[in-house]
């Protein structure tokens, strides 16, 4: 039986950030693609991360041309596609995870083409029905997001937009005006992937963004180690780990659990 959740969508996300803030830490929102290394193992990986205290999830929808993703996630999503993972299968995964008792917010993370092909309104309705709380679409700028934004607003789902170190004041203000749930802050220019250290200019950029919005700021790209989590937790409302967990997923669910545990303990 599907878990009954009192809070959904933007309200559920707001509660996550408020709870983490009350504990003096950032919210931990890991990414994992459905279908890698197999469909069942991807569900088991998300369940393991939930057990270890992840605050919410980016549920990855595999796509053949993931332009924002580095080699680790590109390779994993290609495997997922070869395993027959579709948009509908990813929605089924959320529904199954809810039925297993996982209550943390889940955001569907995927590129625009498959979602448009599915049907924007239909996808948002089906995502809400499956138990998703929002969308993250890396190649969807606010200027072109009206169809998604209207559908998400009707269903109460978050629609997350991105800021990068290259974002000027006008872009910051536009993203702050249109993003719901939180703003995804890209820590560096380029693609996703593990880095040895985070950029030294991060604190300066975050101060500039915070001066222009009170919406939660969630950092992604390059975060892979417990020391990164500790550093980010002092600056951000939340952070995302993707490539490091996907790499661990190739080693098995136990490796995902171990890395998740070390990241969560670092907070």
């Amino acid at each position: 039986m599907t878990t009954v959740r009192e809070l959904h969508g933007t309200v559920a996300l707001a509660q996550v950030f408020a709870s983490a803030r009350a504990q003096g830490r950032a919210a931990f929102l890991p990414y994992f693609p459905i279908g890698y290394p197999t469909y069942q193992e991807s569900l088991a990986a998300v369940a393991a991360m939930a057990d270890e205290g992840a605050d919410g999830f980016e549920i990855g929808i595999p796509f053949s041309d993931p332009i924002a993703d580095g080699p680790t996630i590109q390779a994993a999503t290609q495997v997922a596609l070869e395993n027959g993972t579709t948009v509908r299968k990813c929605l089924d995964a959320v529904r199954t995870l809810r039925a297993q008792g996982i209550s943390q917010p889940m955001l569907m993370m995927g590129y625009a083409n498959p979602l448009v092909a599915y049907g924007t309104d239909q996808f948002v309705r089906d995502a809400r029905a499956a138990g998703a709380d929002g969308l993250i679409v890396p190649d969807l700028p606010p200027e072109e997001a009206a169809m998604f934004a209207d559908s998400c607003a009707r269903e109460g789902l978050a629609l997350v937009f991105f800021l990068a170190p290259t974002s000027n004041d006008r872009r910051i203000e536009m993203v702050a005006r249109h993003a719901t749930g939180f703003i995804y802050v890209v820590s560096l220019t380029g693609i996703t992937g593990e880095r040895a250290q985070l950029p030294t200019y991060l604190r300066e950029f975050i101060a500039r963004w915070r001066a222009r919005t009170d919406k939660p700021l969630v950092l992604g790209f390059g975060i892979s180690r417990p020391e990164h989590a500790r550093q980010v937790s002092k600056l951000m409302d939340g952070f995302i780990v993707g490539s490091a967990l996907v790499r661990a997923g190739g080693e098995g669910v136990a490796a995902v659990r171990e890395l998740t545990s070390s990241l969560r303990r670092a907070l």
Side-chain angles (χ1 to χ4, degrees):
M1 181 177 180
T2 303
T3 300
V4 176
R5 302 166 65 224
E6 294 183 3
L7 303 178
H8 301 269
T10 55
V11 179
L13 281 168
Q15 179 58 44
V16 162
F17 291 117
S19 178
R21 195 176 304 117
Q23 297 171 37
R25 63 176 180 85
F28 175 31
L29 307 170
Y31 163 92
F32 205 86
I34 298 301
Y36 177 78
T38 67
Y39 179 76
Q40 291 299 334
E41 285 175 295
S42 65
L43 268 61
V46 174
M49 290 187 280
D51 287 344
E52 295 300 328
D55 295 293
F57 298 97
E58 282 189 38
I59 301 296
I61 302 173
F63 180 51
S64 58
D65 189 21
I67 57 173
D69 293 312
T72 300
I73 293 177
Q74 285 184 24
T77 53
Q78 183 59 41
V79 169
L81 290 171
E82 292 169 0
N83 287 339
T85 307
T86 62
V87 172
R88 192 171 300 279
K89 194 75 170 174
C90 293
L91 294 170
D92 289 343
V94 172
R95 189 175 293 106
T96 298
L97 291 165
R98 292 294 184 219
Q100 292 175 356
I102 294 173
S103 60
Q104 289 97 324
M106 298 187 202
L107 294 104
M108 309 301 295
M109 197 284 196
Y111 292 83
N113 270 4
L115 308 187
V116 172
Y118 188 100
T120 302
D121 285 339
Q122 190 64 53
F123 175 77
V124 173
R125 286 196 299 270
D126 289 353
R128 173 66 172 82
D133 297 283
L135 275 62
I136 303 174
V137 187
D139 57 344
L140 181 71
E143 299 94 326
E144 300 175 12
M147 287 190 301
F148 283 92
D150 291 345
S151 297
C152 285
R154 283 195 298 272
E155 298 296 332
L157 299 189
L159 182 58
V160 173
F161 293 114
F162 290 71
L163 285 175
T166 53
S167 298
N168 60 27
D169 290 348
R170 181 178 297 180
R171 171 59 52 175
I172 293 169
E173 290 166 3
M174 175 178 285
V175 167
R177 186 164 60 250
H178 291 286
T180 56
F182 63 86
I183 295 171
Y184 192 129
V185 175
V186 177
S187 68
L188 40 80
T189 56
I191 55 177
T192 63
E194 299 170 69
R195 266 67 170 189
Q197 59 186 18
L198 298 178
T200 56
Y201 54 71
L202 204 53
R203 189 179 297 273
E204 174 189 345
F205 278 115
I206 291 165
R208 184 160 66 93
W209 295 327
R210 284 208 185 279
R212 288 166 173 79
T213 181
D214 59 359
K215 291 182 178 178
L217 300 177
V218 175
L219 191 72
F221 285 45
I223 304 168
S224 60
R225 304 177 180 183
E227 55 266 33
H228 295 164
R230 281 192 294 271
Q231 179 182 349
V232 166
S233 195
K234 299 173 184 177
L235 298 173
M236 308 300 295
D237 299 292
F239 67 97
I240 294 162
V241 178
S243 295
L245 286 164
V246 173
R247 178 177 51 77
E251 301 170 11
V253 173
V256 173
R257 182 182 294 276
E258 181 179 355
L259 178 55
T260 302
S261 178
S262 69
L263 290 163
R264 183 63 181 80
R265 287 198 309 270
L267 304 179

